[in-house]
């Protein structure tokens, strides 16, 4: 059988670091050559050897409409003829901002960026500028991009390295970051009200913001405990810290209004990315008018040659209009498909008496954990009880059967409007076979 991926990997290793441009696509995640993809259509990806996959990764959530959606192909084909990028003010920029402000009650104004990391960087600076405070409170296992100040306690670690849950050992995730860059970042255990109350009593009055993922999405899928995020919002109000909800993963995916809508929250600052661009690079910072005013010229600086790219904005507009049509039918569809897929895996897993599996999901996102626990409720559960090597073996075997999930258990799977009941059934059959084959 042809293995063009293997030969591309060998060529790529000579000229690209690890053969790729982000570790989650390469040997660090795959244990060897990744599959090199050639094209996508609907819910399908095709590799360079012509193998077909049902894609449950959907570009880490960037594709709520799937691959090569006709409306997106049409708008990009039309707009590219009129120029790729102007770096000027645009009508479509105003139009998309109007749609966003109209659909997100907690957002009075938006500022566009390109990636989640950039949006988060600007949001932290804005929170500090607005409050005049320096500290940032973040949570174990939460990821907010790869900037210096926030890249700590995001990787899974051996449980013995984590320290006491009341005072997590600070673990910087990268070389090249000076300790002083993270000196004002406080790390707290997530999904634990008492831990947060303690940290807020100690640091809340000096905190510019408390930043959280609404659903923990970088350790599989871990939903917030009932009332937890609302309590976080109250504590922020009590101590005068901004409540910053990072919806890079969850925005335009779990509901039209993301986690803010799902859990009834009113964050002061939000960031979005991934799904927002419908497959093109697009991200944004949003929030209350008085907070967002901090980004005015001469106050808190945020620049970018590629901010508000016109092609990406046109795609964002089409994505939003398509998802919102028929009283938000697109959002209902990805939710129902995601839940059905999670149920299918649960059903299949119940028949496997050789592997203990827990499936956790929220609407259109789900993850499969090989774990001895009945529920994974936080980062420490994940670090101590989730078998990541087994998940990788599982995902690689699924790939051989034409089902694509990223082999990292820290990531998750996602539905899009173009998945079907038949895709769910076919995935269920493949999962049953793989569970049978696995040692
Ligand atoms: N915030 C969260 C919650 C994320 O999951 C991510 C990416 N996984 C980011 C920010 C950074 O986004 P990007 O990869 O677009 O820089």
């Amino acid at each position: 059988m042809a293995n063009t991926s293997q030969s591309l990997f060998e060529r790529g290793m000579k000229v690209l670091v690890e053969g790729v441009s982000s570790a989650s696509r390469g040997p660090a995640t795959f244990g060897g050559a990744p599959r090199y993809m050639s094209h996508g259509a609907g819910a399908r990806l095709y590799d360079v050897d012509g193998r077909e996959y049902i894609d449950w990764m959907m570009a880490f959530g960037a594709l709520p409409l799937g691959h090569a959606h006709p409306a997106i192909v049409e708008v990009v084909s039309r707009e590219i003829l009129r120029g790729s990028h102007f770096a000027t003010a645009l009508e479509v920029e105003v139009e998309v901002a109007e749609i966003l402000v109209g659909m997100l009650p907690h957002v009075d104004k938006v500022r566009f960026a390109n990636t989640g990391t950039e949006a988060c960087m600007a949001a932290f600076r804005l929170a500090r500028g607005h409050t005049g405070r320096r500290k940032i409170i973040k949570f174990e296992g939460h990821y907010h991009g790869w900037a210096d100040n926030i890249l700590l306690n995001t990787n899974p670690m051996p449980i013995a390295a984590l320290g006491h849950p009341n005072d997590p050992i600070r673990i910087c995730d990268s070389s090249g970051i000076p300790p002083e860059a993270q000196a004002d970042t406080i790390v707290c255990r997530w999904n634990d009200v008492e831990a947060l109350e303690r940290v807020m009593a100690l640091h809340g009055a000096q905190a510019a913001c408390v930043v959280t993922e609404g659903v923990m999405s970088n350790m599989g899928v871990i939903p917030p405990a009932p009332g937890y995020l609302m309590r976080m919002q109250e504590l922020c109000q009590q101590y005068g810290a901004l409540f910053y909800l990072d919806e890079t993963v969850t925005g335009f995916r779990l509901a039209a209004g993301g986690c803010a809508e799902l859990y009834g929250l009113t964050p002061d600052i939000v960031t979005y990315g991934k799904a927002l661009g419908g497959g093109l690079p697009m991200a944004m910072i949003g929030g209350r008018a008085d907070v967002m005013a901090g980004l005015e010229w001469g106050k808190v600086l945020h620049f970018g040659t590629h901010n508000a790219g016109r092609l990406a904005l046109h795609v964002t507009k089409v994505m939003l209009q398509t998802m919102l049509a028929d009283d938000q039918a697109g959002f209902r569809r990805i939710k129902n498909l995601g839940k059905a897929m999670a149920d299918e895996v649960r059903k299949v897993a119940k028949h496997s008496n050789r592997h203990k599996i827990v499936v956790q999901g929220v609407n259109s996102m789900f993850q499969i954990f090989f774990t001895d626990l009945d529920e994974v409720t936080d980062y420490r559960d994940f670090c101590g009880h989730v078998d990541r090597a087994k998940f990788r073996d599982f995902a690689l075997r699924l790939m051989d059967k034409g089902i694509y999930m990223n082999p990292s258990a820290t990531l998750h799977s996602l539905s899009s409007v173009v998945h079907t009941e038949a895709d769910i059934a076919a995935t269920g059959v493949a999962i049953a076979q793989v569970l049978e084959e696995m040692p």
Side-chain angles (χ1 to χ4, degrees):
M1 196 166 37
N3 197 342
T4 315
S5 282
Q6 182 62 40
S7 53
L8 278 174
F9 181 58
E10 284 157 22
R11 273 171 59 196
M13 285 296 279
K14 295 187 184 138
V15 287
L16 288 156
V17 181
E18 295 184 300
V20 286
S21 298
S22 187
S24 56
R25 304 175 194 180
T29 300
F30 285 74
R35 309 280 163 122
Y36 284 72
M37 295 300 173
S38 88
H39 61 288
R44 298 289 189 283
L45 265 179
Y46 298 85
D47 73 16
V48 283
D49 288 311
R51 290 190 202 94
E52 180 181 292
Y53 303 85
I54 300 175
D55 182 8
W56 291 106
M57 189 178 86
M58 285 289 151
F60 297 130
L63 302 169
L65 302 184
H67 299 284
H69 189 282
I72 290 182
V73 172
E74 196 272 323
V75 77
V76 173
S77 312
R78 187 185 72 219
E79 290 300 330
I80 190 71
L81 297 175
R82 296 159 59 87
S84 52
H85 185 50
F86 305 156
T88 64
L90 299 169
E91 183 174 359
V92 66
E93 183 180 5
V94 178
E95 287 172 348
V96 175
E98 283 170 349
I99 299 172
L100 291 165
V101 169
M103 68 189 279
L104 302 168
H106 49 286
V107 170
D108 297 327
K109 283 201 177 170
V110 309
R111 167 60 73 88
F112 292 113
N114 299 286
T115 66
T117 297
E118 281 177 53
C120 293
M121 283 168 68
F124 291 128
R125 187 181 288 171
L126 176 59
R128 284 174 161 161
H130 178 81
T131 57
R133 300 175 178 187
R134 298 173 71 136
K135 289 186 183 172
I136 289 167
I137 297 173
K138 67 93 70 181
F139 296 97
E140 285 182 315
H142 287 211
Y143 178 71
H144 306 288
W146 51 275
D148 282 2
N149 68 314
I150 204 71
L151 197 60
L152 67 169
N153 300 71
T154 66
N155 282 329
M157 300 295 286
I159 196 90
L162 303 181
H164 195 291
N166 287 352
D167 183 23
I169 294 175
R170 296 157 58 83
I171 305 170
C172 178
D173 295 317
S174 173
S175 289
I177 297 180
E180 55 272 25
Q182 302 187 335
D184 291 313
T185 311
I186 312 297
V187 180
C188 179
R189 187 184 196 184
W190 196 67
N191 244 354
D192 179 337
V193 170
E194 280 168 24
L196 182 58
E197 286 173 344
R198 200 174 308 111
V199 164
M200 290 301 275
L202 280 170
H203 302 284
Q206 297 101 46
C209 66
V210 177
V211 59
T212 188
E213 297 179 28
V215 168
M216 195 169 181
S217 317
N218 286 285
M219 291 292 140
V221 176
I222 305 182
Y228 175 68
L229 293 175
M230 190 53 86
R231 181 69 187 130
M232 190 185 295
Q233 180 171 302
E234 284 166 10
L235 285 165
C236 285
Q237 280 160 1
Q238 183 183 333
Y239 288 96
L242 297 181
F243 177 44
Y244 168 10
L245 188 61
D246 180 4
E247 298 239 44
T248 303
V249 172
T250 50
F252 313 104
R253 176 152 278 290
L254 297 191
C259 281
E261 177 184 324
L262 210 57
Y263 302 113
L265 305 168
T266 318
D268 302 301
I269 302 191
V270 271
T271 41
Y272 302 88
K274 297 192 192 261
L276 177 64
L280 269 75
M282 176 53 65
M284 68 181 243
I285 309 119
R288 247 183 21 232
D290 63 311
V291 177
M292 291 301 288
L295 287 173
E296 286 163 7
W297 171 244
K299 295 181 187 166
V300 174
L301 209 146
H302 169 241
F303 283 164
T305 300
H306 284 280
N307 290 354
R310 60 184 298 279
L311 288 182
L313 280 168
H314 278 284
V315 173
T316 297
K317 183 175 156 190
V318 165
M319 184 283 291
L320 290 170
Q321 286 172 337
T322 308
M323 294 296 285
L324 290 170
D326 297 327
D327 195 22
Q328 306 189 355
F331 288 105
R332 278 198 302 284
R333 181 167 172 82
I334 59 171
K335 167 177 157 179
N336 293 338
L337 286 165
K339 282 176 173 286
M341 186 62 229
D343 285 344
E344 177 71 18
V345 186
R346 283 186 194 105
K347 196 178 79 190
V348 171
K350 238 177 43 203
H351 291 290
S352 163
N353 43 19
R354 302 202 358 260
H355 308 283
K356 185 164 177 317
I357 288 173
V358 169
V359 183
Q360 295 188 182
V362 180
N363 295 357
S364 60
M365 46 196 279
F366 61 94
Q367 182 56 306
I368 299 159
F369 295 113
F370 290 90
T371 176
D372 57 327
L373 299 175
D374 292 329
E375 194 185 358
V376 181
T377 61
D378 79 342
Y379 171 71
R380 286 167 186 255
D381 282 356
F382 186 98
C383 292
H385 296 273
V386 171
D387 189 335
R388 288 185 288 138
K390 197 161 176 178
F391 181 81
R392 176 156 93 181
D393 182 29
F394 169 76
L396 293 177
R397 287 169 189 266
L398 273 181
M399 247 172 238
D400 286 339
K401 298 189 187 305
I403 308 293
Y404 196 91
M405 293 179 183
N406 188 286
S408 170
T410 59
L411 297 166
H412 52 265
S413 289
L414 301 127
S415 55
S416 71
V417 293
V418 289
H419 283 101
T420 61
E421 297 292 332
D423 294 334
I424 292 174
T427 305
V429 169
I431 289 178
Q433 289 169 353
V434 164
L435 291 178
E436 221 23 66
E437 285 168 15
M438 272 171 63

